[in-house]
Structure formats: C-alpha cells, structure tokens
Amino acid sequence: MDESKKGRLRRFQVQVAAWTSIAVLMGAVWISISPPATTSASPQCRCFPGDKCWPDAAEWASLNNSVDGRLIATVPVAAVCHDGFPGVEYDAEKCAEARANWLRPELHYQTMHSPMAPFFANMSCDPFTPRDAQCVIGAYVPFAVNAFTSAHYKTTISFATKHNIRLVIRNTGHDYMGKSTGAGALALWTHNIKHRKVIDYQSKAYTGKALRVGAGVQAFEAQNTANAAGLVVVEGRCPTVGFAGGYTQGGGTSPLGSKFGLAADQVLEWEVVTARGDLLTATPDENADLYWALAGGGGGTYGVVLSMTVKAHKNFPTAGATLTFVEPTDKYWDIVQAFLLNTPAVLKEGGTLYWMVMPGNTFYMPQSYLPDGMATDLEALLLPTIDALDQAGIEYTFKTADYPNFQDVLKTTNAEHDIVEINLGGRIIPSSLFNNNNNNNNNTVASLTGAIRNIVDNGGLVAGVSMAPSRTPESPNSAHPAWRSSSLFVFLGSPHDRKNMTANIVMQNVVTEEFMAPLERITPEGGAYLNEAALNQADFQHAFYGSNYPKLLSIKKKNDPDGIFWGPTAVGRLRLDP
C-alpha cells in the first residue's frame, strides 16, 4: 500500500473512532418525526448507533474498502463554530464564513450530510447557536458512500440490509420533506454521478432528441447541455436542484409546465438499482410498473436511480414579464383577485407565472414565461390585471421583454436562489375554481383570495406557481392525478425559527390547521405536491398520491419488500407519528 493510501486509511479510521465516541449522544438530538430504534418486531425499526447490532470500526472499514475508499464519515459543516467535536478546532473566521453562506445552496450540496431544510438538522451542530452549544452528529447521517457506479449502489444497499441500517438517498440536499437525511442512517450520495449526453431516441411512444443524465446532474447542468445542442429540457425554477432525483421522481413543476407538462412527463427511461441489487432499465415497455412508479411516485422509494433519459425539445424564443405593486388599503386584495381571475388566459397559451403575496400588501411577480410568444402577446394576456390596477389608481411597475431563447429569460429574471427557511405547506388548486363557465366563479376565486389573505394576515408567506400541466403524457405515470386538472400550486408557510425548535413544531401545526385548512375546504378535489408540502399533512397517502396510492404501494412491496428505502411521507409509511 502506498503512503497516500495509508494516509487516507488512517484519516478514515480516526474519523470512525471519533464518530463512535460521540454516538451515545445521538439520542438526545433525535428529530421528532424519526422512528426510534425499539425492538426488531417493528417493521420500521432499524439498528441505531449505540445498539449492539451497530457495525464496529472494522466493519465500516471493510465497507470503505469494498466501495473503493468512498465511504465518508460526517464532520458537520458548523463544527468550526463550536468546541468539542473530535478532530475539529473552533475557528472564528471559518465560522463567520459558514454563517455568511448558510443560505447558499452551494454550501450544503457540496457536502454529503447537510440538509438545506434546517428542521431536519435539528440544531445538532448549528452555526447560529453559541460556541459552547452542542455539536454532535445528531440528526445528520453519520456515514455516506460517495457513489459513482452501480457496484457502489449494490454494495451499499447490501451493507445496509445486512446490518438493518436505515438507508437514505441523497444528491443535493434540496429537500423540504426530510427524505435525504436521517439520524443513524447510511446515505447513498449520488451527487458526483455527472455524465450527460444528448442522444437520438426511438421507442413506441417517442422518437426524437433526448438527454441522458447521471443521477447527480443538477438542473443547470442538464439545461446547459441541452442548450448547447439547441434544445431545452423541462426543469424547475431553482437551477441547483438535482434533476433526476426527488424533483422529477416527485412530479416536477416547471416554467415550461403549461407547455410540456410536468418533469415526470418527460421521462423516457430510468436506470435503477433495486433493493435486491438488480440493475434494471425501466421504460413504458420494460419493467413498466417500476417506470410508472418512479415517474411521479416519489424519490428514494422504489429503487435508486443511476441515470435518467428525458425528452429534449427544440429551443424557442420566449417572452417574459415582471409585475410589482404595493397598496395599503383593501383595494390590494381586489387586485390580487383580479390577477387570479386573469391567470387561466395565460396558462391556456402555454404560459407559467411565478408570484408572491407578501406582508405589507406587496405583490411581486418576479418571473413569467410565454414560450414561443412575444412580449406584446404577454402584455395582451395580462391586460385585465393592468386595467384593474389603472382603474383602482394603484401605482405599479410592469415590464415585458422578448428573449431569443428560453434560457435567456430563465437566467435573466430568475435571480440566484437562496434557501428559504420555512415551516412549509402547499396545495394543488384545481382549474374548476377558475372555470369561466361557473356562474359562481367570482365567489370561488374570492374564497381563494380570502384563504390567501388569512395566511398573510396571520404572519404567513404565500407564493404561487400558476401552471397548467394538463396535457396527457404519451406514457402514463404516477404523478398525482390532481395535476391534470390544476391551474395553480400554492406554496405557503411561516418563517423557520433558528433558535427554537419547539416553536417550529408549533408553527407546523398552525400551517396545517389554520393556513391549509381553508384551502383544503374549497379544493376537495385538489391535492398536495409531495416535494413541497406540510410535514404533518393529514391523510398524506391520499393528499400526495391520490388514487394512485394502492398501485404504488403494490409496486413498493414488489420491489422493496423489506422497506430498505424509507422516508417521511413516502409510499409504504403507515403514519407520520413515530
């Protein structure tokens, strides 16, 4: 063994020993929604650090060797902000740097452990707590395999199965629902599987250009590759989200959603490793049930995706618009209602609108997209809202522009995204609320406006994605059926409290019981977006999966009979309490 390999081995052994020495502290920082290790009789019990069944240092070293030295022991990002974490000294300068960049996605997705949703870190090792506060592994995954190949996948799955350890799948950590982390878990880190290629694809359902990407490719990387070939792919608003992971596997909203449908609708095939260690190709014709489940039924649930192939569309000119106004009187809500009534006309032409209703009676539409349209077209489509503002005598800023390609408007109006620290909720709003043939149209939209106002008046935040992914995909998938008759996704919540976890748990109850309830009452045929929703969503099986849940559960049991792939709100989870 050469000296460099010996050095890496020694460092790894030191990390394992250091981690083991603080494993007994894990229980003190257990996230409330994570099931404790109790007895082997429970189907959800897993071996936990400190248990007799937990692998010893030699077994971890053996795993490290079998995955080509790619096992990583967690050292929390904020360890430099505290005393006491083994092998890490307090460093005021590095701590200040961590704090300054804490809301930048890059800080977290370059690690194999740090979640962007702070609730799931559970203040285990936090840069904003005092220097003498605890810094332990806590709610972070203690180990991760930096996977590059299907062999790494299979070995990691086999190890987790043999030792009865919770296995989680992580790419970037862009995850509001806690599926990519977990106390006492082993993470399969897919982030560095970055291959991508434009190909010619032919099947019964589709013939044309396609993009094949590795599991770790992010949205901006996928789009850049497509753009270089004069193409576009359906991606989300945030460019650093993992493209093939929970985003697409959970459905995937998009600026191009009204034109092409959901991200899940674009999938042509998956390359996936199952819980049994089988490497399969899943298409509408081969392993069709697995294809169907992966395309919309939730990430990290039925298998581990190694690569994904999606449709690539010819690029096109795109119009964009922004709108801002502030009005302290109740006329503000009249304009919000007028805007909501205006949106179906834009969606009908393939447009998508992103907007926010904020405290202080501030309305902000930072982005809108009209693919294959002109600025004059978008101005005409939004004219009812502008007329309402003029008639009310409200000052506003409204700008439109033409862009030669889709990515030009995306990059120009879509500013860099900081992490939103929020106690989250969300609702898919059906088109029936906006149906012009409904004689009670104004009253139903008034109810929607009132529900939004209730949230804002009580300290909440509301954002909307006005999008109509109604087109039926060539190959059926498991995306929530509510998407097919929807015109709006409402994203809502209250700010996360960095200093008080109890307050966050209380606020999550406020989100579901006070903010969400009025929306649910007026949208009984709606649903929830399983990537952006309340953690304690009532009847989550129906809310997240609709009528697809029984079939998804059957596919889950077939492909993962021992429940190796687990996550809060994932198919197969019986309930949300521990």
Side-chain angles (χ1 to χ4, degrees), residues 50-171:
D51 292 345
K52 292 182 180 179
C53 57
W54 188 254
D56 60 25
E59 289 170 308
W60 286 112
S62 177
L63 172 62
N64 183 48
N65 183 64
S66 65
V67 293
D68 305 317
R70 298 188 179 279
L71 182 65
I72 304 171
T74 292
V75 177
V77 176
V80 292
C81 297
H82 302 279
D83 297 308
F85 193 87
V88 180
E89 295 183 357
Y90 174 80
D91 188 314
E93 185 175 339
K94 290 182 179 179
C95 180
E97 183 179 352
R99 288 173 179 165
N101 289 283
W102 199 252
L103 292 183
R104 297 301 302 149
E106 293 81 358
L107 178 69
H108 302 275
Y109 72 61
Q110 292 172 3
T111 79
M112 36 60 70
H113 69 276
S114 187
M116 296 188 199
F119 181 78
F120 295 102
N122 202 25
M123 301 178 75
S124 302
C125 186
D126 193 293
F128 301 103
T129 55
R131 176 177 172 175
D132 60 357
Q134 69 172 12
C135 180
V136 295
I137 297 295
Y140 298 123
V141 295
F143 294 105
V145 172
N146 182 15
F148 277 75
T149 67
S150 60
H152 295 154
Y153 278 25
K154 294 176 182 181
T155 300
T156 305
I157 293 169
S158 177
F159 184 89
T161 302
K162 176 183 177 180
H163 294 282
N164 192 31
I165 296 171
R166 180 190 297 178
L167 179 68
V168 299
I169 315 305
R170 175 190 170 91
N171 179 3

Side-chain angles (χ1 to χ4, degrees), residues 262-285:
L262 299 169
D265 301 341
Q266 317 305 311
V267 180
L268 299 168
E269 67 177 59
W270 305 95
E271 190 179 16
V272 58
V273 176
T274 70
R276 293 188 177 94
D278 297 322
L279 175 62
L280 303 176
T281 297
T283 73
D285 302 309

Side-chain angles (χ1 to χ4, degrees), residues 91 130 324 519:
D91 188 314
T324 306
L519 286 171

Side-chain angles (χ1 to χ4, degrees), residues 231-295:
L231 304 167
V232 294
V233 290
V234 174
E235 63 153 298
R237 178 170 174 256
C238 183
T240 57
V241 166
F243 189 48
Y247 166 69
T248 297
Q249 291 176 52
T253 62
S254 172
L256 296 174
S258 296
K259 183 172 179 64
F260 295 123
L262 299 169
D265 301 341
Q266 317 305 311
V267 180
L268 299 168
E269 67 177 59
W270 305 95
E271 190 179 16
V272 58
V273 176
T274 70
R276 293 188 177 94
D278 297 322
L279 175 62
L280 303 176
T281 297
T283 73
D285 302 309
E286 181 182 3
N287 299 304
D289 59 345
L290 192 55
Y291 166 88
W292 182 85
L294 287 167

